[in-house]
Amino acid sequence: MNFKNTREFARELDAQDKLFKYRNEFIFPKVNGKQVIYFVGNSLGLQPKSAQKYVNEVMTDWAELAVEGHFYAEKSWWDYHERFSEKLGKIVGANASEVTVMNTLTVNLHLLMVSFYRPSGKRYKIICEEKAFPSDQYMISSQVRYHGYDPSDAIVEIKKRDGENNFRTEDVIEKIREVGDECALVLIGGVNYYTGQVFDMEKITKAGHEAGAFVGWDLAHAAGNIELKLSEWNVDFAAWCSYKYMNSGPGNASGCFINKKYHNKKDIPRFEGWWGHNKERRFLMEQEFQPEPTANAWQISNAPILSLAPYLASLEMFDEVGMPALIEKRDKIVAYLEFILHEIDKEVESTFEIITPADQSERGTQLSVFLHGEGREIFKYLMDNGVITDWREPNVIRLAPAPFYCSYENMYEFGQILKTGILNKKK
Ligand SMILES: *Cc1c(COP(=O)(O)O)cnc(C)c1O
C-alpha cells in the first residue's frame, strides 16, 4: 500500500478501520485537556470502560450476598476463574483445559519451574536469551541456585551476533544442540521486550524437545499481541501477564498454559493447594489431594475475584473482536507508523534506527527506535505534548500502537509532534 504522511490520508485509513469504534470503549488519560496518544499498551493497557461495571458487580455481590456469593453470585466466585479458560485458549492457541489464570507472572514461572525444571545428573542447564527481562533473569538464577547449581555454569545465554539487533533462529537452535543432553529447560521470552522481536516458537520448541529438554515460553509481550498456537507447537508450558496487551489493569493476574500431556499425571511434581483439588469435592475438606484433570490442578489459592473482574471485562472484548482482526489492523498500523518514522527522519535529517525486525512475521505491535543523536529531552517533549512512549537507556523509545485503541490519525499526529520536538531543539 502507498501510504501518505497527511492527516487526510490517516483519516481515510481510520474510516476504513473496522476496529475504529473500539477506541470509544477505552478510557484515555488526558494531557492539556486532550486525549493522549498512547504507545505503551505493551506496558500497561488502557482501561476498558466495561471494567468498572465488572468490578462493581463483585462489590455489589459481596455487599448483598457476602459469603453466599461464592455460590449464588450471578458470576459465582468458586469457579470464577473457569470463565477465562476458553477465551484465553483462543488467544494463545490452546484447548480450554490447558489454560488457567492465577497469581502473577513471575510467581507462576517459579511455580511452573517446580514441574518443569527438574535438574538431575548431567541434565541441569537452562537456556535463555541474553539480557532477558530482569525478573526472568532473577527467577532463573534463583531457581538454579535453589537446586544447588552455579548460575554462571547452569545458565546458558543465547547471544546476538556482533552488530546485530536481533537473535537468529539458527543460532538459538545451534545453541540448544550444543548444550544437548545437558539441557534441562529452554525458557525464552516469546516476544523480546526490548526489541519486539518474535521468536520462532515452533522451531525452537521442536529443537528443545529433540535435545530432551522441556520448553517453556514467557509470553508477557506475546499474549494478546501475536498469533500463538501453543497446543499445535507442542509447547510444554507458558505464562503471561494480562496487564500489557490484555488491558486487565495494573499488576493483574497471570495466565498459564500447561500442555495436556501433563494433566492427570501422578508423577509430575507441583506445589498444590485447595483450588487445584477436584472441584466437586473441594468443600468436603478431604485429606488427600485429587488434582483437577486440567491446568486448574496448578491452582493453589482461592481466586482474587476483584482483580479478575476487570480482566474478564477485557477478555469479553477480545472474544468479540478476535485475534485475527486485531492482527490484521496491527500489521497495517505498525507499517504506517514505520512509514511515518521514515518520512519524519528524512525531514529532520536525524537518524532513527528501527531495531525491531522489518519482516512482519518477526514482529508484533512494538517498534523499538534508536534515536541516534537525540537524548532523553525528546522523550520528555513527547510526554509534555500528550504522546506517551517509553524510554529505555541509552536512547531507545518503544512504540506500541495497540490495535484495539490506537488510530491512524494518532500515528500522523505523533510524527508531527516528533518533528517539531526535534526541530525546536536544533534551533
Ligand atoms: C512485564 C514482564 C514481566 C513482569 O513480571 P510480573 O511478575 O508480572 O511483575 C516479566 N517478564 C517479562 C518478559 C515481562 O515482559
PDB file of all heavy atoms in Angstrom, residues 26 48 50-51 54 242 245-248 309-319 404:
ATOM      1  N   PHE A  26     -12.541   2.478  25.481  1.00  0.00           N
ATOM      2  CA  PHE A  26     -11.421   2.597  26.430  1.00  0.00           C
ATOM      3  C   PHE A  26     -11.340   4.010  26.984  1.00  0.00           C
ATOM      4  O   PHE A  26     -11.797   4.961  26.353  1.00  0.00           O
ATOM      5  CB  PHE A  26     -10.090   2.257  25.728  1.00  0.00           C
ATOM      6  CG  PHE A  26      -9.960   0.798  25.393  1.00  0.00           C
ATOM      7  CD1 PHE A  26     -10.458   0.290  24.206  1.00  0.00           C
ATOM      8  CD2 PHE A  26      -9.341  -0.073  26.289  1.00  0.00           C
ATOM      9  CE1 PHE A  26     -10.360  -1.059  23.898  1.00  0.00           C
ATOM     10  CE2 PHE A  26      -9.232  -1.424  25.994  1.00  0.00           C
ATOM     11  CZ  PHE A  26      -9.732  -1.922  24.797  1.00  0.00           C
ATOM     12  N   PRO A  48     -10.567  -0.641  29.884  1.00  0.00           N
ATOM     13  CA  PRO A  48     -11.825  -0.742  29.136  1.00  0.00           C
ATOM     14  C   PRO A  48     -12.952  -0.106  29.962  1.00  0.00           C
ATOM     15  O   PRO A  48     -12.965  -0.248  31.185  1.00  0.00           O
ATOM     16  CB  PRO A  48     -12.072  -2.262  29.020  1.00  0.00           C
ATOM     17  CG  PRO A  48     -10.786  -2.919  29.384  1.00  0.00           C
ATOM     18  CD  PRO A  48     -10.060  -1.957  30.297  1.00  0.00           C
ATOM     19  N   SER A  50     -15.841  -1.026  30.269  1.00  0.00           N
ATOM     20  CA  SER A  50     -16.662  -2.052  30.919  1.00  0.00           C
ATOM     21  C   SER A  50     -16.028  -2.601  32.203  1.00  0.00           C
ATOM     22  O   SER A  50     -16.698  -3.278  32.975  1.00  0.00           O
ATOM     23  CB  SER A  50     -16.906  -3.215  29.950  1.00  0.00           C
ATOM     24  OG  SER A  50     -15.660  -3.730  29.498  1.00  0.00           O
ATOM     25  N   ALA A  51     -14.766  -2.281  32.453  1.00  0.00           N
ATOM     26  CA  ALA A  51     -14.074  -2.868  33.609  1.00  0.00           C
ATOM     27  C   ALA A  51     -14.761  -2.488  34.917  1.00  0.00           C
ATOM     28  O   ALA A  51     -14.973  -3.328  35.794  1.00  0.00           O
ATOM     29  CB  ALA A  51     -12.615  -2.416  33.624  1.00  0.00           C
ATOM     30  N   TYR A  54     -17.808  -4.498  35.790  1.00  0.00           N
ATOM     31  CA  TYR A  54     -17.497  -5.849  36.275  1.00  0.00           C
ATOM     32  C   TYR A  54     -17.017  -5.823  37.724  1.00  0.00           C
ATOM     33  O   TYR A  54     -17.344  -6.698  38.501  1.00  0.00           O
ATOM     34  CB  TYR A  54     -16.440  -6.507  35.375  1.00  0.00           C
ATOM     35  CG  TYR A  54     -17.021  -7.127  34.126  1.00  0.00           C
ATOM     36  CD1 TYR A  54     -17.705  -6.352  33.197  1.00  0.00           C
ATOM     37  CD2 TYR A  54     -16.889  -8.491  33.873  1.00  0.00           C
ATOM     38  CE1 TYR A  54     -18.238  -6.908  32.053  1.00  0.00           C
ATOM     39  CE2 TYR A  54     -17.421  -9.059  32.725  1.00  0.00           C
ATOM     40  CZ  TYR A  54     -18.091  -8.262  31.824  1.00  0.00           C
ATOM     41  OH  TYR A  54     -18.618  -8.827  30.688  1.00  0.00           O
ATOM     42  N   SER A 242      -1.305 -10.095  32.208  1.00  0.00           N
ATOM     43  CA  SER A 242      -2.515  -9.701  31.483  1.00  0.00           C
ATOM     44  C   SER A 242      -2.661  -8.192  31.376  1.00  0.00           C
ATOM     45  O   SER A 242      -3.551  -7.698  30.709  1.00  0.00           O
ATOM     46  CB  SER A 242      -3.737 -10.262  32.206  1.00  0.00           C
ATOM     47  OG  SER A 242      -3.716  -9.836  33.557  1.00  0.00           O
ATOM     48  N   TYR A 245      -0.761  -6.166  26.825  1.00  0.00           N
ATOM     49  CA  TYR A 245      -1.696  -6.075  25.689  1.00  0.00           C
ATOM     50  C   TYR A 245      -3.122  -6.485  26.056  1.00  0.00           C
ATOM     51  O   TYR A 245      -4.038  -6.250  25.294  1.00  0.00           O
ATOM     52  CB  TYR A 245      -1.194  -6.926  24.525  1.00  0.00           C
ATOM     53  CG  TYR A 245       0.030  -6.358  23.867  1.00  0.00           C
ATOM     54  CD1 TYR A 245       1.290  -6.887  24.119  1.00  0.00           C
ATOM     55  CD2 TYR A 245      -0.064  -5.274  23.003  1.00  0.00           C
ATOM     56  CE1 TYR A 245       2.421  -6.355  23.520  1.00  0.00           C
ATOM     57  CE2 TYR A 245       1.056  -4.729  22.397  1.00  0.00           C
ATOM     58  CZ  TYR A 245       2.295  -5.278  22.659  1.00  0.00           C
ATOM     59  OH  TYR A 245       3.408  -4.742  22.066  1.00  0.00           O
ATOM     60  N   MET A 246      -3.287  -7.133  27.219  1.00  0.00           N
ATOM     61  CA  MET A 246      -4.637  -7.606  27.512  1.00  0.00           C
ATOM     62  C   MET A 246      -5.457  -6.709  28.421  1.00  0.00           C
ATOM     63  O   MET A 246      -6.574  -7.088  28.811  1.00  0.00           O
ATOM     64  CB  MET A 246      -4.580  -9.047  27.977  1.00  0.00           C
ATOM     65  CG  MET A 246      -4.391  -9.929  26.737  1.00  0.00           C
ATOM     66  SD  MET A 246      -4.884 -11.596  26.939  1.00  0.00           S
ATOM     67  CE  MET A 246      -3.598 -12.121  27.995  1.00  0.00           C
ATOM     68  N   ASN A 247      -4.928  -5.525  28.734  1.00  0.00           N
ATOM     69  CA  ASN A 247      -5.752  -4.460  29.327  1.00  0.00           C
ATOM     70  C   ASN A 247      -6.513  -4.852  30.591  1.00  0.00           C
ATOM     71  O   ASN A 247      -7.649  -4.431  30.791  1.00  0.00           O
ATOM     72  CB  ASN A 247      -6.779  -3.950  28.287  1.00  0.00           C
ATOM     73  CG  ASN A 247      -6.182  -3.725  26.919  1.00  0.00           C
ATOM     74  OD1 ASN A 247      -5.056  -3.243  26.808  1.00  0.00           O
ATOM     75  ND2 ASN A 247      -6.899  -4.076  25.873  1.00  0.00           N
ATOM     76  N   SER A 248      -5.915  -5.669  31.450  1.00  0.00           N
ATOM     77  CA  SER A 248      -6.665  -6.166  32.613  1.00  0.00           C
ATOM     78  C   SER A 248      -6.501  -5.289  33.842  1.00  0.00           C
ATOM     79  O   SER A 248      -7.203  -5.482  34.837  1.00  0.00           O
ATOM     80  CB  SER A 248      -6.193  -7.572  32.955  1.00  0.00           C
ATOM     81  OG  SER A 248      -4.885  -7.514  33.484  1.00  0.00           O
ATOM     82  N   ALA A 309     -12.107  -9.501  37.930  1.00  0.00           N
ATOM     83  CA  ALA A 309     -13.282  -8.890  37.283  1.00  0.00           C
ATOM     84  C   ALA A 309     -12.920  -7.999  36.078  1.00  0.00           C
ATOM     85  O   ALA A 309     -13.466  -8.194  34.985  1.00  0.00           O
ATOM     86  CB  ALA A 309     -14.109  -8.131  38.313  1.00  0.00           C
ATOM     87  N   PRO A 310     -11.978  -7.045  36.229  1.00  0.00           N
ATOM     88  CA  PRO A 310     -11.660  -6.240  35.035  1.00  0.00           C
ATOM     89  C   PRO A 310     -10.973  -7.047  33.933  1.00  0.00           C
ATOM     90  O   PRO A 310     -11.090  -6.715  32.747  1.00  0.00           O
ATOM     91  CB  PRO A 310     -10.728  -5.146  35.569  1.00  0.00           C
ATOM     92  CG  PRO A 310     -10.263  -5.615  36.887  1.00  0.00           C
ATOM     93  CD  PRO A 310     -11.292  -6.557  37.420  1.00  0.00           C
ATOM     94  N   TYR A 311     -10.267  -8.083  34.326  1.00  0.00           N
ATOM     95  CA  TYR A 311      -9.616  -8.958  33.342  1.00  0.00           C
ATOM     96  C   TYR A 311     -10.700  -9.642  32.504  1.00  0.00           C
ATOM     97  O   TYR A 311     -10.611  -9.707  31.275  1.00  0.00           O
ATOM     98  CB  TYR A 311      -8.750  -9.970  34.104  1.00  0.00           C
ATOM     99  CG  TYR A 311      -7.802 -10.854  33.313  1.00  0.00           C
ATOM    100  CD1 TYR A 311      -6.977 -11.758  33.992  1.00  0.00           C
ATOM    101  CD2 TYR A 311      -7.704 -10.799  31.924  1.00  0.00           C
ATOM    102  CE1 TYR A 311      -6.088 -12.583  33.311  1.00  0.00           C
ATOM    103  CE2 TYR A 311      -6.815 -11.629  31.240  1.00  0.00           C
ATOM    104  CZ  TYR A 311      -6.010 -12.525  31.941  1.00  0.00           C
ATOM    105  OH  TYR A 311      -5.140 -13.341  31.273  1.00  0.00           O
ATOM    106  N   LEU A 312     -11.755 -10.081  33.183  1.00  0.00           N
ATOM    107  CA  LEU A 312     -12.842 -10.743  32.452  1.00  0.00           C
ATOM    108  C   LEU A 312     -13.529  -9.759  31.504  1.00  0.00           C
ATOM    109  O   LEU A 312     -13.855 -10.092  30.359  1.00  0.00           O
ATOM    110  CB  LEU A 312     -13.850 -11.334  33.445  1.00  0.00           C
ATOM    111  CG  LEU A 312     -14.913 -12.257  32.858  1.00  0.00           C
ATOM    112  CD1 LEU A 312     -14.284 -13.438  32.120  1.00  0.00           C
ATOM    113  CD2 LEU A 312     -15.856 -12.773  33.956  1.00  0.00           C
ATOM    114  N   ALA A 313     -13.689  -8.527  31.985  1.00  0.00           N
ATOM    115  CA  ALA A 313     -14.308  -7.498  31.132  1.00  0.00           C
ATOM    116  C   ALA A 313     -13.491  -7.347  29.843  1.00  0.00           C
ATOM    117  O   ALA A 313     -14.043  -7.295  28.738  1.00  0.00           O
ATOM    118  CB  ALA A 313     -14.356  -6.168  31.875  1.00  0.00           C
ATOM    119  N   SER A 314     -12.189  -7.297  29.993  1.00  0.00           N
ATOM    120  CA  SER A 314     -11.338  -7.128  28.825  1.00  0.00           C
ATOM    121  C   SER A 314     -11.391  -8.350  27.906  1.00  0.00           C
ATOM    122  O   SER A 314     -11.439  -8.225  26.676  1.00  0.00           O
ATOM    123  CB  SER A 314      -9.902  -6.861  29.287  1.00  0.00           C
ATOM    124  OG  SER A 314      -9.037  -6.948  28.193  1.00  0.00           O
ATOM    125  N   LEU A 315     -11.406  -9.523  28.522  1.00  0.00           N
ATOM    126  CA  LEU A 315     -11.438 -10.743  27.695  1.00  0.00           C
ATOM    127  C   LEU A 315     -12.707 -10.858  26.869  1.00  0.00           C
ATOM    128  O   LEU A 315     -12.702 -11.406  25.771  1.00  0.00           O
ATOM    129  CB  LEU A 315     -11.311 -11.985  28.582  1.00  0.00           C
ATOM    130  CG  LEU A 315      -9.904 -12.417  28.967  1.00  0.00           C
ATOM    131  CD1 LEU A 315      -9.943 -13.822  29.536  1.00  0.00           C
ATOM    132  CD2 LEU A 315      -8.953 -12.374  27.776  1.00  0.00           C
ATOM    133  N   GLU A 316     -13.806 -10.341  27.431  1.00  0.00           N
ATOM    134  CA  GLU A 316     -15.062 -10.360  26.658  1.00  0.00           C
ATOM    135  C   GLU A 316     -14.867  -9.582  25.350  1.00  0.00           C
ATOM    136  O   GLU A 316     -15.354  -9.976  24.294  1.00  0.00           O
ATOM    137  CB  GLU A 316     -16.218  -9.724  27.445  1.00  0.00           C
ATOM    138  CG  GLU A 316     -16.493 -10.321  28.814  1.00  0.00           C
ATOM    139  CD  GLU A 316     -17.388 -11.545  28.795  1.00  0.00           C
ATOM    140  OE1 GLU A 316     -17.797 -11.960  27.699  1.00  0.00           O
ATOM    141  OE2 GLU A 316     -17.660 -12.093  29.889  1.00  0.00           O
ATOM    142  N   MET A 317     -14.123  -8.496  25.439  1.00  0.00           N
ATOM    143  CA  MET A 317     -13.881  -7.707  24.224  1.00  0.00           C
ATOM    144  C   MET A 317     -12.970  -8.453  23.247  1.00  0.00           C
ATOM    145  O   MET A 317     -13.193  -8.418  22.042  1.00  0.00           O
ATOM    146  CB  MET A 317     -13.258  -6.355  24.578  1.00  0.00           C
ATOM    147  CG  MET A 317     -14.275  -5.393  25.146  1.00  0.00           C
ATOM    148  SD  MET A 317     -13.490  -3.952  25.851  1.00  0.00           S
ATOM    149  CE  MET A 317     -12.936  -3.162  24.394  1.00  0.00           C
ATOM    150  N   PHE A 318     -11.947  -9.096  23.791  1.00  0.00           N
ATOM    151  CA  PHE A 318     -11.071  -9.890  22.919  1.00  0.00           C
ATOM    152  C   PHE A 318     -11.885 -10.962  22.199  1.00  0.00           C
ATOM    153  O   PHE A 318     -11.677 -11.243  21.016  1.00  0.00           O
ATOM    154  CB  PHE A 318      -9.944 -10.545  23.729  1.00  0.00           C
ATOM    155  CG  PHE A 318      -8.702  -9.710  23.807  1.00  0.00           C
ATOM    156  CD1 PHE A 318      -8.529  -8.801  24.833  1.00  0.00           C
ATOM    157  CD2 PHE A 318      -7.719  -9.817  22.837  1.00  0.00           C
ATOM    158  CE1 PHE A 318      -7.381  -8.014  24.904  1.00  0.00           C
ATOM    159  CE2 PHE A 318      -6.571  -9.035  22.890  1.00  0.00           C
ATOM    160  CZ  PHE A 318      -6.405  -8.132  23.929  1.00  0.00           C
ATOM    161  N   ASP A 319     -12.810 -11.552  22.950  1.00  0.00           N
ATOM    162  CA  ASP A 319     -13.627 -12.612  22.387  1.00  0.00           C
ATOM    163  C   ASP A 319     -14.495 -12.096  21.256  1.00  0.00           C
ATOM    164  O   ASP A 319     -14.677 -12.742  20.231  1.00  0.00           O
ATOM    165  CB  ASP A 319     -14.510 -13.165  23.512  1.00  0.00           C
ATOM    166  CG  ASP A 319     -14.687 -14.655  23.382  1.00  0.00           C
ATOM    167  OD1 ASP A 319     -13.705 -15.313  22.973  1.00  0.00           O
ATOM    168  OD2 ASP A 319     -15.787 -15.154  23.671  1.00  0.00           O
ATOM    169  N   PHE A 404      -6.330  -2.206  19.353  1.00  0.00           N
ATOM    170  CA  PHE A 404      -7.658  -2.037  19.953  1.00  0.00           C
ATOM    171  C   PHE A 404      -8.060  -0.564  20.036  1.00  0.00           C
ATOM    172  O   PHE A 404      -9.208  -0.211  19.856  1.00  0.00           O
ATOM    173  CB  PHE A 404      -7.660  -2.624  21.376  1.00  0.00           C
ATOM    174  CG  PHE A 404      -8.634  -3.756  21.550  1.00  0.00           C
ATOM    175  CD1 PHE A 404      -8.234  -4.951  22.149  1.00  0.00           C
ATOM    176  CD2 PHE A 404      -9.951  -3.622  21.146  1.00  0.00           C
ATOM    177  CE1 PHE A 404      -9.131  -5.996  22.314  1.00  0.00           C
ATOM    178  CE2 PHE A 404     -10.856  -4.663  21.315  1.00  0.00           C
ATOM    179  CZ  PHE A 404     -10.440  -5.854  21.896  1.00  0.00           C
TER     180      PHE A 404
END
